[in-house]
Amino acid sequence: MIVAVGLAAIGGALALRHAPTHESTAVISVTRPAIPFRSFMTQVIEASKIVDPLERCLKMPDPPGSHWHRDGVEAYCRYRYQPAMTSLEFRQRIAEGRGDEVDRVLAEDARAQADDPAAASRLDGAFYRMGLMESTPDMRRAVDAWKRQRPQSAFAAAASGFQYSSAAWQARGQDAYDDTPEENLTAMRKQAALARAELDRAATMQPPIPLVFAEMFSLAMRAGDEDDAQAAMARGLAVAPDDMALRLIQSAMSGGAWGGSPALLLKQASEAAARAPRQPLLWVVVGRARMKARTDPLLHAPAAKPTLAMAGEVATAADLAWLARRAYLGKAFSESLILAVEAWRFDDGESTALWVIGMASQQARYSEWARVILKNAAQKHSDSVSVARDVGVALLALKEPVEAERLLSYAVERDPADTWTLAQLGWLYLNASHRYDKAKNVADTLIQREGDDADGYALRAFAQIETDDPERYKSIHVFLDRFEQRDGALNTADSLRTYLAEHPEPLPRGNVTGNH
């Protein structure tokens, strides 16, 4: 029998016979968390029963030992859960030729954002909740139709710029600049030029939209034009000095990857803190800037200080989720669950936070509660590929293979190029549902698309072992020859060698010796 090892991709919690080749999150026994953690989770579980997301956010506890500004927490809760048009509602209205209604709604948000301190960043939040900041084919078509219906709309022009900017980032890919193919960079530059043209046009129209200047800043930073970036930021802050989105993107691009420094980040935190008594939402900017100054690996070596201490002030859901994942990978399971819960508090569709909740809850014995939270999130955010992917992986670790298969299949269907998620579905077929033909098919697809990645080869070998496929020995040797010395493949290689030792290869015909 082959012993399960190294379950990074699906979390290390299942008693699986075969496992993905990555090994960073294997099961580790932990000591019982301290009493304050249990008290915190008791309050979380009680608050999580509240259906209304704003009321739930306001009732949730802050992290144990923290001193978050209460007015900042309340402002961020209201910002995150303000009533807003959804992506589906936006596309439906545009499809029905009701672009004027979309403009009226956003104009009301713009007036409230400008005039009412309690409605800070409302227009910015509306753009995000309508799905206008992330480029997809459906959204690009809807925005183009909106522009045709409302050619003088500043909101439609801005949305078009946001779509092109997102498309530029997607075209570039996630590799380091030196590893990015030239054709990707060419496509990125084309989309970025279209984005800048639209954003420049929106910046001359009424009403002023602070998020336009934030996106101009981001585009210029990505293009390496710091002077243009700073000019865009100055224009934005002149229009809206207390805008959270402007100051958040400024801090996001002040880390080591962008030539920043801890001193610069702390200066930004100080500036935001000075304005926060008048605009409490800026405490979120303070939280991000201070967290980044303490945790950016390109600025200094990782601090030995407990991860929870890095969240000294309320921060964005994305920042808290990033820190939660870091804590989980560092085996600080109670801290990771606290941080993930806080991220979920502010965004119940934050997929990284949902993944950490699923994984860390097993270590802290909150699996039943986590299952409910994850299933509710998958239902509420049923159109989100990232939620389907990360919740699917977490539910597989929580021994919910049927729902995990449904979610992972949906994610793969929506994004066929995502080979990582396809690999998780393949391991599910192998280990949970025992559908070995499907596992083999996934393995073949992975090998075809990602010829130098170990997962496809390992999955094929294990699926063939389970079915006594005559080709299994050949597949085992192919894996060992190509990947045995690779980082992350050692445990898989050991398992395959164990199989060879317990199931010796049959000698080829003609090589059998005996008495004649």
Side-chain angles (χ1 to χ4, degrees), residues 230 233 237 247 250-251 254 260-275 282 285-286 288-293:
Q230 296 308 321
M233 182 57 60
L237 291 176
R247 293 182 180 273
Q250 183 183 48
S251 292
S254 294
S261 66
L264 176 60
L265 286 161
L266 293 176
K267 178 176 181 291
Q268 293 169 1
S270 179
E271 291 172 351
R275 305 188 73 90
L282 291 181
V285 177
V286 176
R288 166 175 282 185
R290 288 178 179 170
M291 183 189 298
K292 196 166 185 64

Side-chain angles (χ1 to χ4, degrees), residues 99-119:
D100 57 334
E101 289 187 19
V102 175
D103 273 54
R104 281 199 297 273
V105 170
L106 294 178
E108 291 172 4
D109 289 337
R111 283 192 293 272
Q113 177 165 310
D115 300 337
D116 183 1

Side-chain angles (χ1 to χ4, degrees), residues 143-193:
V143 169
D144 287 340
W146 185 16
K147 287 171 58 185
R148 290 191 296 270
Q149 294 173 28
R150 305 284 293 173
Q152 300 306 314
S153 168
F155 305 116
S160 182
F162 300 152
Q163 286 288 293
Y164 282 130
S165 181
S166 173
W169 194 245
Q170 292 172 13
R172 182 193 183 283
Q174 299 298 316
D175 292 335
Y177 187 89
D178 291 342
D179 297 330
T180 302
E182 183 58 35
E183 58 266 29
N184 290 39
L185 296 175
T186 300
M188 176 195 74
R189 295 183 189 109
K190 178 182 177 181
Q191 296 292 323

Side-chain angles (χ1 to χ4, degrees), residues 89-99 102 142 145-146 149:
E89 290 168 343
F90 164 71
R91 295 198 306 272
Q92 286 176 338
R93 292 187 188 189
I94 296 301
E96 295 166 0
R98 297 156 59 196
V102 175
W146 185 16
Q149 294 173 28

Side-chain angles (χ1 to χ4, degrees), residues 394-474:
L395 285 176
L396 180 57
L398 286 165
K399 301 180 182 178
E400 293 277 353
V402 175
E403 181 65 2
E405 180 178 344
R406 185 187 71 80
L407 292 170
L408 293 174
S409 297
Y410 172 77
V412 168
E413 179 184 348
R414 285 282 306 276
D415 187 2
D418 182 0
T419 52
W420 187 90
T421 302
L422 180 62
Q424 310 321 304
L425 185 59
W427 291 109
L428 182 153
Y429 288 144
L430 180 76
N431 291 304
S433 63
H434 310 299
R435 296 156 75 180
Y436 303 120
D437 287 344
K438 283 185 171 289
K440 290 178 185 179
N441 290 338
V442 169
D444 290 342
T445 301
L446 291 171
I447 291 169
Q448 181 181 4
R449 294 185 188 173
E450 304 282 344
D452 198 42
D453 185 80
D455 262 321
Y457 293 90
L459 182 60
R460 180 176 65 182
F462 286 129
Q464 290 175 342
I465 286 171
E466 289 293 345
T467 56
D468 289 332
D469 191 307
E471 295 293 309
R472 64 190 183 279
Y473 291 105
K474 177 181 176 182

Side-chain angles (χ1 to χ4, degrees), residues 17-39:
R17 295 188 64 220
H18 313 302
T21 55
H22 314 294
E23 300 168 7
S24 61
T25 58
V27 175
I28 298 169
S29 60
V30 295
T31 56
R32 184 182 295 274
I35 292 299
F37 169 73
R38 295 293 176 191
S39 176

